C-alpha cells in the first residue's frame, strides 16, 4: 500500500470516527484519555499490551463485546467469565479500571466499559509500535457473565484446525480472521502447564508431539521443565521476538515452532498454511494491515444498544 493510500485510509477512518462518535458532545476526549493512560501503563509494564489484546478477544468471543469478561463473581453468580479457567491468567484489568475511573471523573455515566476495553486494547498495541485500527464507539455493557460460556466458546490452545475453524465461524469470523488474529501470538507469553502433555506425554506414552521441530522441542523442555501443577512458568509464544509486534510468529510457526497445538494446527489447512508462509517470506506490512482489519471486525461482534453503562467495570448497576 502506497503512502498516499495509507494517508487517505487514515483520513477516511478519522472522519468516520468523528462523525460516528456518540460521545462527541458528552465526552469528547474519550480517545485522548484512553490513549494517554494506556500508554502510561504500557511504558511501565509492556505485558499489558498482549494482556489487553487477549482480554478483548476473550470478551468479544462470548456474547459479543459487552465487557462481560470484566464482571466479578457475586453471591448470586460465583462463576462469572472472569473465573473460567481460560480467563484466570488475563492481564490488564488495572488499565481498563484506570481509564474508566478517569472517564467517570470527567464525564460520569457516559462511556461503557465495553468501549473502554475496545479502546485500551488498540491503544496498548499502538504503544508498542503495533498497528492502529478504527474503534467504533457506542457499545453497552452486558449484565450476564457465565464461566460455562467462556469454556464453551473460547478457542482452546489445544484445538485442532477443524475445531478452530468452527470456533471462529460460530462467532462470525472468517478463516482469514483465524490465521490473522492468531498472529497476535507474536507478542506475549504462554503458560507452560498448557503444553506439558505436548512436550512430555503427547499420546500417553511419554512422547513429544511430532509436529514440534526437534531443536525447538529441546528449547521448550528447557524453558518448561516437567512439573505437575505448575501454573507460573512461562515462555515467549514467538521464539524470535516475543516483545515486538511483527510477522515473526508466522516465521516460527512455518518452521514447526508453534508454542501451542492451536498454532501448529494452522499448518493443517491449505489456506492458513499459505498465509503463514507468505507472511514468513514478507516484510510484514500486509500482516499489519490485515490485523487491523480483523481487529476492527472482532470488536464489532455483538455491537448494539442493549445493556447499560456501568459505573465500575466489575459490577452491574444493581451491585453498586
Amino acid at each position: 500500500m502506497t503512502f498516499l493510500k495509507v494517508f487517505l485510509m487514515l483520513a477516511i477512518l478519522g472522519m468516520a470516527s468523528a462523525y460516528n462518535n456518540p460521545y462527541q458532545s458528552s465526552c469528547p476526549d474519550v480517545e485522548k484519555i484512553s490513549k494517554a493512560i494506556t500508554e502510561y501503563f504500557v511504558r511501565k509494564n509492556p505485558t499489558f499490551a498482549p494482556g489487553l489484546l487477549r482480554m478483548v478477544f476473550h470478551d468479544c468471543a462470548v456474547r459479543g463485546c459487552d465487557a462481560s469478561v470484566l464482571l466479578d463473581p457475586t453471591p448470586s453468580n460465583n462463576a462469572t467469565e472472569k473465573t473460567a479457567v481460560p480467563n484466570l491468567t488475563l492481564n490488564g484489568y488495572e488499565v481498563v479500571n484506570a481509564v474508566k475511573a478517569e472517564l467517570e471523573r470527567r464525564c460520569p455515566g457516559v462511556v461503557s466499559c465495553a468501549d473502554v476495553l475496545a479502546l485500551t486494547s488498540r491503544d496498548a498495541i499502538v504503544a508498542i509500535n503495533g498497528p492502529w485500527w478504527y474503534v467504533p464507539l457506542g457499545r453497552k455493557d452486558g449484565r450476564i457473565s457465565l464461566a460455562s460460556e467462556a469454556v464453551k466458546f473460547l478457542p482452546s490452545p489445544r484445538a485442532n484446525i477443524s475445531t478452530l475453524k468452527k470456533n471462529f465461524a460460530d462467532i462470525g469470523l472468517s478463516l482469514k480472521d483465524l490465521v490473522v488474529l492468531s498472529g497476535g501470538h507474536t507478542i506475549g507469553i504462554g503458560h507452560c502447564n498448557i503444553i506439558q502433555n505436548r512436550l512430555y506425554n503427547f499420546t500417553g506414552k511419554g512422547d513429544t508431539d511430532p509436529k514440534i521441530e526437534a531443536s525447538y522441542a529441546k528449547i521448550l523442555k528447557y524453558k518448561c521443565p516437567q512439573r505437575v501443577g505448575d501454573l507460573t512458568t512461562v515462555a515467549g509464544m514467538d521464539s524470535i521476538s516475543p516483545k515486538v509486534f511483527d510477522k515473526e510468529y508466522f516465521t516460527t510457526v512455518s518452521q514447526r515452532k508453534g508454542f501451542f497445538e492451536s498454532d501448529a494446527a494452522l499448518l493443517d489447512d491449505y489456506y492458513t498454511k499459505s498465509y503463514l508462509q507468505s507472511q514468513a517470506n514478507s516484510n510484514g506490512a500486509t500482516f499489519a494491515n490485515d490485523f487491523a482489519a480483523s481487529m476492527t471486525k472482532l470488536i464489532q461482534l455483538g455491537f448494539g444498544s442493549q445493556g447499560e453503562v456501568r459505573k465500575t467495570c466489575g459490577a452491574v448497576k444493581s451491585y453498586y
Side-chain angles (χ1 to χ4, degrees):
M1 184 178 289
T2 66
F3 173 79
L4 178 59
K5 288 181 178 179
V6 171
F7 177 82
L8 290 174
M9 180 182 74
L10 292 178
I12 291 170
L13 290 175
M15 288 188 289
S17 178
Y19 288 116
N20 294 321
N21 181 0
Y23 310 127
Q24 194 67 25
S25 58
S26 58
C27 197
D29 292 330
V30 56
E31 295 209 42
K32 292 180 181 178
I33 292 168
S34 173
K35 182 176 184 292
I37 294 176
T38 302
E39 285 182 348
Y40 169 77
F41 274 90
V42 172
R43 280 197 303 270
K44 290 179 62 178
N45 183 356
T47 68
F48 283 135
L52 286 163
L53 184 62
R54 182 169 176 243
M55 186 183 288
V56 78
F57 180 84
H58 281 220
D59 181 48
C60 294
V62 182
R63 292 184 171 269
C65 308
D66 65 350
S68 54
V69 76
L70 303 177
L71 288 173
D72 295 318
T74 66
S76 60
N77 179 14
N78 61 5
T80 62
E81 289 173 41
K82 185 183 276 191
T83 70
V85 171
N87 292 332
L88 293 178
T89 55
L90 288 181
N91 174 31
Y93 295 109
E94 303 98 313
V95 186
V96 174
N97 290 338
V99 173
K100 176 62 174 173
E102 180 60 15
L103 289 171
E104 284 298 305
R105 188 182 73 82
R106 299 270 198 101
C107 34
V110 174
V111 182
S112 68
C113 294
D115 275 350
V116 172
L117 180 53
L119 284 170
T120 55
S121 60
R122 189 269 313 275
D123 294 339
I125 296 302
V126 173
I128 60 167
N129 298 315
W132 178 94
W133 55 88
Y134 170 50
V135 177
L137 300 173
R139 296 164 189 76
K140 297 297 184 183
D141 296 324
R143 297 178 56 84
I144 299 173
S145 182
L146 303 172
S148 58
E149 292 186 343
V151 173
K152 178 180 179 181
F153 292 110
L154 290 174
S156 168
R158 300 185 179 95
N160 60 31
I161 190 63
S162 297
T163 301
L164 290 171
K165 289 164 76 169
K166 184 179 187 304
N167 288 151
F168 273 67
D170 285 348
I171 60 174
L173 296 178
S174 68
L175 187 57
K176 183 175 183 179
D177 296 321
L178 163 59
V179 64
V180 170
L181 293 177
S182 294
H185 288 177
T186 188
I187 52 171
I189 50 89
H191 285 75
C192 289
N193 66 302
I194 297 175
I195 63 170
Q196 286 284 301
N197 282 350
R198 190 176 188 220
L199 293 177
Y200 299 105
N201 198 27
F202 188 63
T203 64
K205 300 178 181 179
D207 54 343
T208 301
D209 183 354
K211 289 185 178 180
I212 308 178
E213 193 271 333
S215 64
Y216 182 57
K218 290 181 180 179
I219 293 172
L220 284 181
K221 287 180 179 180
Y222 173 77
K223 293 182 176 180
C224 299
Q226 191 169 12
R227 294 172 182 160
V228 176
D230 178 11
L231 302 178
T232 59
T233 306
V234 298
M237 293 182 289
D238 174 348
S239 60
I240 298 176
S241 52
K243 296 181 180 180
V244 180
F245 197 100
D246 57 23
K247 57 91 178 182
E248 297 304 343
Y249 165 83
F250 299 107
T251 302
T252 60
V253 176
S254 296
Q255 296 171 347
R256 297 193 298 121
K257 296 178 181 179
F259 188 82
F260 296 121
E261 290 173 63
S262 59
D263 296 319
L266 298 176
L267 292 171
D268 295 333
D269 176 87
Y270 176 79
Y271 177 85
T272 55
K273 181 178 180 179
S274 297
Y275 187 91
L276 282 168
Q277 293 175 335
S278 68
Q279 291 302 324
N281 296 323
S282 74
N283 63 6
T286 57
F287 167 53
N289 293 333
D290 289 345
F291 192 83
S294 287
M295 283 302 300
T296 298
K297 186 175 177 181
L298 169 71
I299 60 174
Q300 294 188 79
L301 295 179
F303 199 111
S305 59
Q306 298 299 313
E308 63 185 23
V309 175
R310 301 177 203 149
K311 181 179 180 180
T312 59
C313 292
V316 297
K317 282 187 176 180
S318 58
Y319 283 94
Y320 293 167

